[in-house]
Amino acid sequence: MTCYDLHCHSTASDGSLSPESLIARAVEQGVDVLALTDHDGTEGIAQAQQAALNTPLSVIPGVEISVTWGSNTVHILGLNVDKNNVELEQGLKEIRHYRQQRAEKIAERLEKSGISGAYEGASQYASPVMLGRVHFAKFLVEAGHAKSINDVFKRFMVRNKPGYVSGEWASLEQAVTWINQAGGQAVIAHPARYKMTATKLKRLIAEFKTHGGAGIEVVSGRQHPEEIKTLAKLANDFELLASRGSDFHSPDNTWVELGRIPELPKGVTPIWQTW
Ligand code: AMP
Ligand code: MN
Ligand code: MN
Ligand code: MN
Protein backbone atom coordinates (compact mmCIF):
# COMPACT_ATOMS: atom_id res chain seq x y z
CA MET A 1 0.00 0.00 0.00
CA THR A 2 1.25 3.47 -0.85
CA CYS A 3 2.33 5.41 2.23
CA TYR A 4 1.15 9.04 2.21
CA ASP A 5 2.39 11.59 4.73
CA LEU A 6 0.86 14.94 3.83
CA HIS A 7 2.07 17.19 6.66
CA CYS A 8 5.61 17.86 7.87
CA HIS A 9 8.14 20.63 8.54
CA SER A 10 11.74 21.45 7.60
CA THR A 11 14.21 24.14 8.65
CA ALA A 12 12.32 26.43 6.25
CA SER A 13 9.94 26.85 9.21
CA ASP A 14 10.21 25.30 12.68
CA GLY A 15 11.34 21.79 11.76
CA SER A 16 14.85 20.75 12.72
CA LEU A 17 15.84 18.85 9.53
CA SER A 18 16.87 20.51 6.28
CA PRO A 19 14.64 19.65 3.31
CA GLU A 20 17.38 17.25 2.11
CA SER A 21 17.63 15.40 5.44
CA LEU A 22 13.86 15.29 5.70
CA ILE A 23 13.60 13.60 2.29
CA ALA A 24 16.32 11.10 3.22
CA ARG A 25 14.49 10.25 6.44
CA ALA A 26 11.14 9.89 4.67
CA VAL A 27 12.70 7.46 2.18
CA GLU A 28 14.21 5.47 5.09
CA GLN A 29 10.83 5.32 6.78
CA GLY A 30 9.15 3.95 3.67
CA VAL A 31 7.08 7.03 2.84
CA ASP A 32 6.06 7.08 -0.85
CA VAL A 33 4.38 10.48 -1.08
CA LEU A 34 5.43 13.34 1.19
CA ALA A 35 3.90 16.82 1.35
CA LEU A 36 6.28 19.44 2.71
CA THR A 37 4.02 21.91 4.55
CA ASP A 38 6.16 24.52 6.25
CA HIS A 39 4.45 27.27 8.23
CA ASP A 40 3.50 30.28 6.09
CA GLY A 41 6.18 29.69 3.47
CA THR A 42 7.25 27.57 0.53
CA GLU A 43 11.02 28.20 0.60
CA GLY A 44 11.91 24.55 1.30
CA ILE A 45 9.99 23.02 -1.58
CA ALA A 46 12.52 23.43 -4.40
CA GLN A 47 15.27 21.84 -2.29
CA ALA A 48 12.98 18.98 -1.25
CA GLN A 49 11.98 18.29 -4.85
CA GLN A 50 15.61 18.38 -5.93
CA ALA A 51 16.61 15.97 -3.15
CA ALA A 52 13.84 13.54 -4.10
CA LEU A 53 14.82 13.36 -7.79
CA ASN A 54 16.76 10.10 -7.61
CA THR A 55 14.58 8.45 -4.98
CA PRO A 56 11.25 6.60 -5.19
CA LEU A 57 9.65 9.42 -3.15
CA SER A 58 7.21 11.95 -4.64
CA VAL A 59 7.13 15.40 -3.09
CA ILE A 60 3.85 17.30 -2.93
CA PRO A 61 4.37 21.06 -2.71
CA GLY A 62 2.47 22.30 0.32
CA VAL A 63 2.17 24.97 2.99
CA GLU A 64 0.55 25.32 6.43
CA ILE A 65 -1.09 28.73 6.73
CA SER A 66 -1.69 30.38 10.12
CA VAL A 67 -5.25 31.68 10.40
CA THR A 68 -7.04 33.73 13.02
CA TRP A 69 -10.63 32.59 13.36
CA GLY A 70 -12.43 34.49 16.11
CA SER A 71 -10.29 34.03 19.20
CA ASN A 72 -8.68 30.87 17.82
CA THR A 73 -5.55 30.24 15.78
CA VAL A 74 -6.18 27.48 13.27
CA HIS A 75 -3.88 25.98 10.68
CA ILE A 76 -4.92 25.42 7.07
CA LEU A 77 -2.83 23.16 4.87
CA GLY A 78 -2.52 23.84 1.17
CA LEU A 79 -1.65 20.71 -0.83
CA ASN A 80 -0.37 20.70 -4.41
CA VAL A 81 -0.03 24.46 -4.49
CA ASP A 82 1.83 26.33 -7.20
CA LYS A 83 4.38 28.10 -5.04
CA ASN A 84 4.93 30.74 -7.71
CA ASN A 85 1.30 31.82 -7.73
CA VAL A 86 1.21 35.58 -7.16
CA GLU A 87 -1.80 35.67 -4.80
CA LEU A 88 -0.40 32.93 -2.58
CA GLU A 89 3.07 34.43 -2.59
CA GLN A 90 1.74 37.88 -1.67
CA GLY A 91 -0.50 36.47 1.07
CA LEU A 92 2.34 34.51 2.64
CA LYS A 93 4.56 37.58 2.47
CA GLU A 94 2.05 39.53 4.56
CA ILE A 95 1.85 36.78 7.17
CA ARG A 96 5.63 36.66 7.35
CA HIS A 97 5.66 40.39 7.93
CA TYR A 98 3.27 39.97 10.85
CA ARG A 99 5.36 37.07 12.14
CA GLN A 100 8.42 39.30 12.17
CA GLN A 101 6.61 42.01 14.15
CA ARG A 102 5.24 39.42 16.53
CA ALA A 103 8.76 38.09 17.15
CA GLU A 104 9.91 41.58 18.14
CA LYS A 105 6.95 41.90 20.52
CA ILE A 106 7.62 38.47 22.04
CA ALA A 107 11.22 39.52 22.68
CA GLU A 108 10.07 42.82 24.26
CA ARG A 109 7.70 40.99 26.55
CA LEU A 110 10.38 38.52 27.59
CA GLU A 111 12.77 41.43 28.20
CA LYS A 112 10.21 42.99 30.56
CA SER A 113 10.04 39.73 32.49
CA GLY A 114 13.81 39.73 32.90
CA ILE A 115 14.97 37.63 29.94
CA SER A 116 17.26 39.56 27.64
CA GLY A 117 18.65 38.73 24.21
CA ALA A 118 15.69 36.58 23.19
CA TYR A 119 15.37 37.97 19.66
CA GLU A 120 19.00 37.31 18.77
CA GLY A 121 18.94 34.06 20.70
CA ALA A 122 15.87 32.71 18.90
CA SER A 123 17.20 33.88 15.52
CA GLN A 124 20.16 31.52 15.88
CA TYR A 125 17.78 28.59 15.57
CA ALA A 126 15.65 30.00 12.75
CA SER A 127 15.87 30.38 9.01
CA PRO A 128 16.04 34.05 8.02
CA VAL A 129 12.47 33.94 6.73
CA MET A 130 10.54 32.49 9.63
CA LEU A 131 10.92 33.14 13.33
CA GLY A 132 8.40 31.23 15.40
CA ARG A 133 7.61 30.21 18.93
CA VAL A 134 9.64 26.99 18.62
CA HIS A 135 12.79 29.03 17.98
CA PHE A 136 12.14 31.12 21.09
CA ALA A 137 11.53 27.87 22.97
CA LYS A 138 14.91 26.47 21.86
CA PHE A 139 16.60 29.67 23.05
CA LEU A 140 14.83 29.63 26.44
CA VAL A 141 15.85 26.01 27.05
CA GLU A 142 19.43 26.65 25.97
CA ALA A 143 19.66 29.77 28.18
CA GLY A 144 18.46 27.76 31.18
CA HIS A 145 15.06 29.41 31.62
CA ALA A 146 13.16 26.15 31.09
CA LYS A 147 14.00 22.47 31.09
CA SER A 148 12.29 21.46 27.85
CA ILE A 149 10.43 22.84 24.87
CA ASN A 150 7.24 21.47 26.33
CA ASP A 151 7.98 23.28 29.57
CA VAL A 152 8.49 26.53 27.63
CA PHE A 153 5.13 26.17 25.93
CA LYS A 154 3.45 25.75 29.31
CA ARG A 155 5.24 28.55 31.12
CA PHE A 156 6.00 31.16 28.46
CA MET A 157 4.51 30.86 25.02
CA VAL A 158 0.79 30.54 25.68
CA ARG A 159 -2.01 32.97 26.54
CA ASN A 160 -1.45 35.06 29.70
CA LYS A 161 2.25 34.16 29.85
CA PRO A 162 5.20 36.51 29.28
CA GLY A 163 6.19 35.23 25.83
CA TYR A 164 2.72 35.21 24.28
CA VAL A 165 1.41 37.68 21.74
CA SER A 166 -2.05 37.02 20.36
CA GLY A 167 -2.21 36.27 16.65
CA GLU A 168 -3.36 38.45 13.79
CA TRP A 169 -2.86 35.94 11.02
CA ALA A 170 -4.78 35.51 7.76
CA SER A 171 -8.56 35.13 7.74
CA LEU A 172 -10.02 31.69 7.00
CA GLU A 173 -11.41 32.99 3.73
CA GLN A 174 -8.07 34.47 2.65
CA ALA A 175 -6.13 31.28 3.38
CA VAL A 176 -8.56 29.03 1.51
CA THR A 177 -8.80 31.47 -1.40
CA TRP A 178 -5.01 31.81 -1.80
CA ILE A 179 -4.66 28.03 -1.80
CA ASN A 180 -7.39 27.62 -4.41
CA GLN A 181 -5.94 30.43 -6.54
CA ALA A 182 -2.63 28.56 -6.44
CA GLY A 183 -4.40 25.48 -7.83
CA GLY A 184 -4.18 23.58 -4.54
CA GLN A 185 -6.56 21.93 -2.11
CA ALA A 186 -7.21 23.38 1.36
CA VAL A 187 -7.27 21.02 4.35
CA ILE A 188 -7.94 21.84 8.03
CA ALA A 189 -4.83 20.67 9.92
CA HIS A 190 -5.14 18.67 13.16
CA PRO A 191 -8.79 19.65 13.86
CA ALA A 192 -8.78 17.91 17.24
CA ARG A 193 -5.96 20.06 18.60
CA TYR A 194 -7.89 23.32 18.82
CA LYS A 195 -9.71 22.46 22.03
CA MET A 196 -12.96 23.71 20.52
CA THR A 197 -16.38 22.46 21.51
CA ALA A 198 -17.97 20.09 18.99
CA THR A 199 -20.40 22.85 17.99
CA LYS A 200 -17.65 25.36 17.34
CA LEU A 201 -15.58 22.87 15.36
CA LYS A 202 -18.59 22.16 13.16
CA ARG A 203 -19.04 25.88 12.63
CA LEU A 204 -15.38 26.13 11.58
CA ILE A 205 -15.75 23.23 9.16
CA ALA A 206 -18.97 24.63 7.69
CA GLU A 207 -17.40 28.07 7.10
CA PHE A 208 -14.27 26.47 5.68
CA LYS A 209 -16.38 24.51 3.23
CA THR A 210 -18.33 27.63 2.19
CA HIS A 211 -15.05 29.34 1.30
CA GLY A 212 -14.03 26.41 -0.89
CA GLY A 213 -12.14 24.14 1.51
CA ALA A 214 -11.55 20.58 0.28
CA GLY A 215 -10.72 18.36 3.22
CA ILE A 216 -9.80 17.78 6.86
CA GLU A 217 -6.88 15.96 8.41
CA VAL A 218 -8.54 12.85 9.81
CA VAL A 219 -5.31 11.16 10.89
CA SER A 220 -2.58 13.30 12.40
CA GLY A 221 0.45 12.78 14.68
CA ARG A 222 -0.02 13.20 18.47
CA GLN A 223 -3.69 12.30 18.13
CA HIS A 224 -5.91 10.12 20.27
CA PRO A 225 -7.20 7.06 18.32
CA GLU A 226 -10.77 7.89 19.35
CA GLU A 227 -10.47 11.23 17.57
CA ILE A 228 -9.96 9.51 14.23
CA LYS A 229 -13.53 8.17 14.35
CA THR A 230 -14.98 11.55 15.25
CA LEU A 231 -13.04 13.30 12.48
CA ALA A 232 -13.91 10.63 9.90
CA LYS A 233 -17.57 11.18 10.66
CA LEU A 234 -17.16 14.95 10.36
CA ALA A 235 -15.41 14.56 6.99
CA ASN A 236 -18.26 12.44 5.68
CA ASP A 237 -21.06 14.55 7.18
CA PHE A 238 -19.61 17.66 5.53
CA GLU A 239 -18.70 15.81 2.31
CA LEU A 240 -15.05 16.67 2.68
CA LEU A 241 -11.98 14.66 1.67
CA ALA A 242 -9.79 13.00 4.29
CA SER A 243 -6.06 13.66 4.70
CA ARG A 244 -3.31 11.91 6.64
CA GLY A 245 -0.17 13.61 7.96
CA SER A 246 2.33 13.15 10.78
CA ASP A 247 3.12 16.84 11.44
CA PHE A 248 6.72 15.68 11.90
CA HIS A 249 9.03 18.46 13.15
CA SER A 250 12.12 16.80 14.57
CA PRO A 251 13.74 13.42 15.28
CA ASP A 252 13.91 14.55 18.95
CA ASN A 253 10.15 14.00 19.24
CA THR A 254 10.41 10.25 19.16
CA TRP A 255 6.65 9.82 19.41
CA VAL A 256 6.04 11.39 15.98
CA GLU A 257 7.79 9.78 13.01
CA LEU A 258 7.38 10.39 9.28
CA GLY A 259 4.71 8.11 7.87
CA ARG A 260 4.24 6.28 11.18
CA ILE A 261 0.63 7.10 11.89
CA PRO A 262 -2.55 5.06 11.53
CA GLU A 263 -4.11 4.42 8.11
CA LEU A 264 -7.17 6.43 7.14
CA PRO A 265 -10.26 4.61 8.39
CA LYS A 266 -12.55 2.86 5.91
CA GLY A 267 -15.48 4.87 4.62
CA VAL A 268 -13.72 8.22 4.09
CA THR A 269 -12.54 9.50 0.70
CA PRO A 270 -8.75 9.96 0.76
CA ILE A 271 -7.73 13.29 -0.71
CA TRP A 272 -5.22 11.53 -2.99
CA GLN A 273 -8.09 9.75 -4.71
CA THR A 274 -8.73 13.08 -6.47
CA TRP A 275 -5.11 13.32 -7.77
P1 AMP B 1 3.95 29.76 15.86
O1 AMP B 1 3.35 29.49 14.51
O2 AMP B 1 5.27 30.45 15.78
O3 AMP B 1 2.98 30.44 16.79
O4 AMP B 1 4.29 28.36 16.50
C1 AMP B 1 3.42 27.27 16.43
C2 AMP B 1 4.23 25.99 16.52
O5 AMP B 1 4.66 25.79 17.85
C3 AMP B 1 3.47 24.72 16.17
O6 AMP B 1 3.46 24.49 14.81
C4 AMP B 1 4.31 23.68 16.87
O7 AMP B 1 5.43 23.36 16.08
C5 AMP B 1 4.82 24.41 18.09
N1 AMP B 1 4.08 24.08 19.32
C6 AMP B 1 2.87 24.54 19.69
N2 AMP B 1 2.53 24.05 20.90
C7 AMP B 1 3.56 23.27 21.30
C8 AMP B 1 3.84 22.49 22.47
N3 AMP B 1 2.98 22.40 23.48
N4 AMP B 1 5.00 21.82 22.51
C9 AMP B 1 5.89 21.89 21.51
N5 AMP B 1 5.69 22.61 20.40
C10 AMP B 1 4.54 23.29 20.29
MN1 MN C 1 5.40 23.96 13.94
MN1 MN D 1 -0.13 23.13 12.92
MN1 MN E 1 2.32 21.46 11.20
Side-chain angles (χ1 to χ4, degrees):
M1 199 151 74
T2 311
C3 176
Y4 290 85
D5 187 337
L6 303 180
H7 184 168
C8 68
H9 299 271
S10 75
T11 46
S13 66
D14 56 9
S16 62
L17 298 183
S18 65
E20 289 82 2
S21 309
L22 188 73
I23 295 303
R25 193 177 182 96
V27 170
E28 254 171 46
Q29 296 296 332
V31 176
D32 299 296
V33 181
L34 184 76
L36 178 60
T37 54
D38 276 308
H39 296 286
D40 309 321
T42 54
E43 285 79 3
I45 290 172
Q47 271 169 280
Q49 285 172 327
Q50 183 68 31
L53 277 182
N54 297 313
T55 75
L57 185 86
S58 307
V59 174
I60 302 288
V63 64
E64 181 174 19
I65 302 183
S66 309
V67 161
T68 299
W69 187 70
S71 59
N72 294 85
T73 297
V74 302
H75 286 171
I76 303 297
L77 298 168
L79 298 179
N80 273 313
V81 290
D82 168 10
K83 65 179 169 52
N84 299 319
N85 174 268
V86 177
E87 284 86 5
L88 178 66
E89 219 174 14
Q90 184 57 34
L92 295 179
K93 205 171 135 195
E94 282 165 28
I95 305 185
R96 292 301 183 93
H97 181 69
Y98 166 69
R99 192 176 266 290
Q100 192 57 32
Q101 291 178 323
R102 185 192 68 154
E104 286 160 23
K105 281 192 208 157
I106 291 177
E108 273 169 36
R109 295 198 49 158
L110 288 172
E111 182 86 50
K112 280 190 190 129
S113 74
I115 297 169
S116 56
Y119 189 89
E120 294 71 25
S123 299
Q124 288 181 352
Y125 299 99
S127 81
V129 288
M130 191 270 183
L131 193 50
R133 283 187 287 164
V134 168
H135 307 115
F136 279 96
K138 287 182 177 171
F139 160 73
L140 288 167
V141 172
E142 197 59 36
H145 297 288
K147 50 183 196 309
S148 67
I149 294 206
N150 221 356
D151 187 31
V152 176
F153 271 90
K154 281 195 200 125
R155 289 175 40 219
F156 293 96
M157 314 300 295
V158 289
R159 212 180 286 268
N160 302 322
K161 302 286 175 181
Y164 184 77
V165 172
S166 70
E168 287 165 44
W169 306 108
S171 73
L172 183 62
E173 179 170 15
Q174 283 175 320
V176 174
T177 305
W178 297 334
I179 290 165
N180 286 338
Q181 284 171 325
Q185 286 167 304
V187 170
I188 301 179
H190 42 65
R193 223 184 287 163
Y194 304 126
K195 300 193 181 92
M196 288 180 193
T197 60
T199 313
K200 197 169 180 184
L201 182 58
K202 282 183 194 167
R203 195 149 55 77
L204 170 68
I205 297 174
E207 255 183 60
F208 168 76
K209 170 126 187 178
T210 312
H211 296 314
I216 69 175
E217 205 168 52
V218 168
V219 171
S220 153
R222 297 197 283 146
Q223 193 180 47
H224 196 276
E226 269 305 304
E227 289 166 343
I228 296 176
K229 279 189 209 161
T230 313
L231 294 174
K233 183 168 181 335
L234 284 171
N236 285 340
D237 288 351
F238 284 88
E239 295 180 23
L240 288 165
L241 301 164
S243 190
R244 172 184 195 262
S246 63
D247 201 7
F248 176 88
H249 278 74
S250 159
D252 301 340
N253 293 358
T254 47
W255 60 93
V256 181
E257 183 52 85
L258 287 164
R260 299 292 173 93
I261 45 175
E263 295 300 331
L264 281 182
K266 292 212 167 52
V268 298
T269 310
I271 192 157
W272 52 83
Q273 211 161 287
T274 64
W275 296 351

